[in-house]
Amino acid sequence: MNPVPDRPRRLLLAVDAPSLLHRHHHARAHTRHRDRGGRPAWALHGMLRQIIESIDSFAPDAVIFGLDDRTSSARRDAYPDYKAGRAEKDPELVDQLDRAGALLDALGLATLTPPGLEADDVNASAATWAETNGWNCVIITSDRDSFAHISEHTRVLRLIDGGIHGSPLLTPAHLRAMYGVPAERYLEFAAVRGDASDNLPGVAGIGEKTAAYLLSHIGSMREIWADIEHDEGRSVVAALDAWAEETGARRTGATVLKRLSAPGARATYEFNLRLMSGRTDLDLGLTPDVPGTPGLLPLDIERVERVVGHLNMDATTALALRVLTGDPASVPRG
């Protein structure tokens, strides 16, 4: 489906709600802020405030929040040590994680908690939905997992210190500058490197620089494995040794080939690739041509005033009323 002629390409904002809640819990716990019912609300307020500021900045047509299924995990079923070693969650954070979906639903924003899956899967499906429907997509997260979805029409706002305006909006060019790999190869790069935060070891002995060079100068990992299997890795060795000659570094082609050929190396990569790949086929429930569909902007004024007001921050309520109840930038004026 092509974009509507004579109108800006519409924008979907996909929000990794758990990553924002974790971030704001740790940043704002000292405030001990409570909602009007007396329950902990600092993480919920921080997340919502930052999203309202993002909506004010990007003027999206629709917003969807991805949530983790906290009762089951397909990835943990496949790999019991998935995310092992992380500290146990603070009960006050758990309380706010459990309430986030209801808060957002009450506001009229779309949420999705895919059974056995995570917010990352919602982000992947959102990027795919936007591409299929002729929209742009901005993914808001504090994690690196969504970098795999960066493309011409999908960018990632990675929230770091400094808030919305101090955080990088990552494009394919930015990603290549950061890691030395084209955006379409980032997932393969991550699978080779591994992910310590998810307790996923990478291919032993292959560092980020080597992985980036291989994927930038030889091609996909499929081509690299094919070269190793069918031509004894000659292209891999030649490319790495040429790199060493250009940079004056020690030749490592034979060593890298040995590590890539080691028992279990390819299995580690392929296992990581499966676990890291986000689901792209989830039904987001977005029907942008049906007025009143959850997630579409603008939102109902009374709902915004009631729901945001319950968080007990008058300034945020006022901001929400201004930002969430006005027309998106793509709506024709006049």
Side-chain angles (χ1 to χ4, degrees):
M1 176 173 149
N2 293 320
V4 177
D6 302 320
R7 185 173 72 178
R9 192 178 176 107
R10 289 188 283 181
L11 175 65
L12 173 64
L13 214 58
V15 183
D16 181 348
S19 78
L20 269 64
L21 287 163
H22 278 83
R23 182 174 184 80
H24 285 288
H25 171 70
H26 296 296
R28 295 170 178 258
H30 67 282
T31 69
R32 313 308 297 169
H33 179 71
R34 305 269 165 171
D35 63 22
R36 288 182 178 171
R39 300 182 72 177
W42 53 84
L44 289 169
H45 172 257
M47 175 196 70
L48 190 58
R49 175 82 190 200
Q50 203 154 45
I51 293 309
I52 295 169
E53 292 172 353
S54 299
I55 292 171
D56 193 25
S57 178
F58 291 107
D61 296 82
V63 185
I64 186 162
F65 288 78
L67 297 161
D68 297 342
D69 183 350
R70 295 175 26 78
T71 63
S72 65
S73 170
R75 290 178 174 88
R76 192 170 291 111
D77 289 344
Y79 178 49
D81 288 333
Y82 181 62
K83 296 187 178 181
R86 292 191 179 187
E88 189 173 342
K89 291 183 177 66
D90 185 325
E92 291 177 314
L93 170 59
V94 172
D95 177 68
Q96 293 176 81
L97 285 167
D98 288 342
R99 291 155 52 207
L103 169 72
L104 297 165
D105 288 339
L107 194 54
L109 294 167
T111 66
L112 181 59
T113 307
L117 299 174
E118 306 171 7
D120 296 333
D121 297 289
V122 180
N123 291 339
S125 289
T128 301
W129 183 95
E131 183 69 29
T132 301
N133 287 276
W135 289 41
N136 288 330
C137 182
V138 170
I139 297 171
I140 299 181
T141 183
S142 59
D143 296 331
R144 296 184 296 181
D145 301 319
S146 291
F147 290 2
H149 314 310
I150 292 174
S151 69
E152 180 184 357
H153 294 297
T154 295
R155 295 166 292 169
V156 170
L157 180 68
R158 190 187 185 197
L159 294 175
I160 55 175
D161 295 339
I164 294 298
H165 300 293
S167 298
L169 183 62
L170 302 177
T171 65
H174 290 123
L175 193 67
R176 184 150 201 161
M178 289 169 64
Y179 293 106
V181 294
E184 62 270 19
R185 299 278 179 241
Y186 178 81
L187 182 60
E188 297 173 62
F189 167 75
V192 172
R193 178 197 61 199
D195 189 338
S197 68
D198 286 343
N199 197 37
L200 287 171
V203 176
I206 305 297
E208 284 197 356
K209 288 184 178 179
T210 299
Y213 187 86
L214 289 170
L215 289 164
S216 294
H217 291 80
I218 298 179
S220 69
M221 285 304 299
R222 179 177 293 182
E223 294 171 283
I224 292 168
W225 297 124
D227 180 62
I228 293 171
E229 183 175 352
H230 299 293
D231 196 28
E232 299 179 344
R234 288 185 173 86
S235 294
V236 172
V237 173
L240 288 168
D241 286 349
W243 179 35
E245 189 171 340
E246 289 174 10
T247 59
R250 179 173 57 88
R251 290 190 172 210
T252 59
T255 301
V256 171
L257 176 62
K258 184 177 180 180
R259 289 170 178 168
L260 289 171
S261 305
R266 185 169 183 175
T268 294
Y269 163 78
E270 292 179 345
F271 182 77
N272 286 349
L273 195 66
R274 289 195 299 273
L275 252 67
M276 292 177 173
S277 295
R279 283 279 298 274
T280 60
D281 59 347
L282 299 177
D283 182 0
L284 304 183
L286 295 174
T287 51
D289 296 323
V290 179
T293 297
L296 299 187
L297 297 171
L299 301 180
D300 179 75
I301 292 175
E302 290 184 1
R303 291 180 75 170
V304 170
E305 186 169 27
R306 183 175 64 254
V307 175
V308 181
H310 187 70
L311 290 178
N312 202 23
M313 276 287 190
D314 291 343
T316 299
T317 302
L319 179 65
L321 285 167
R322 177 178 69 79
V323 172
L324 301 180
T325 63
D327 287 333
S330 64
V331 173
R333 301 297 192 263

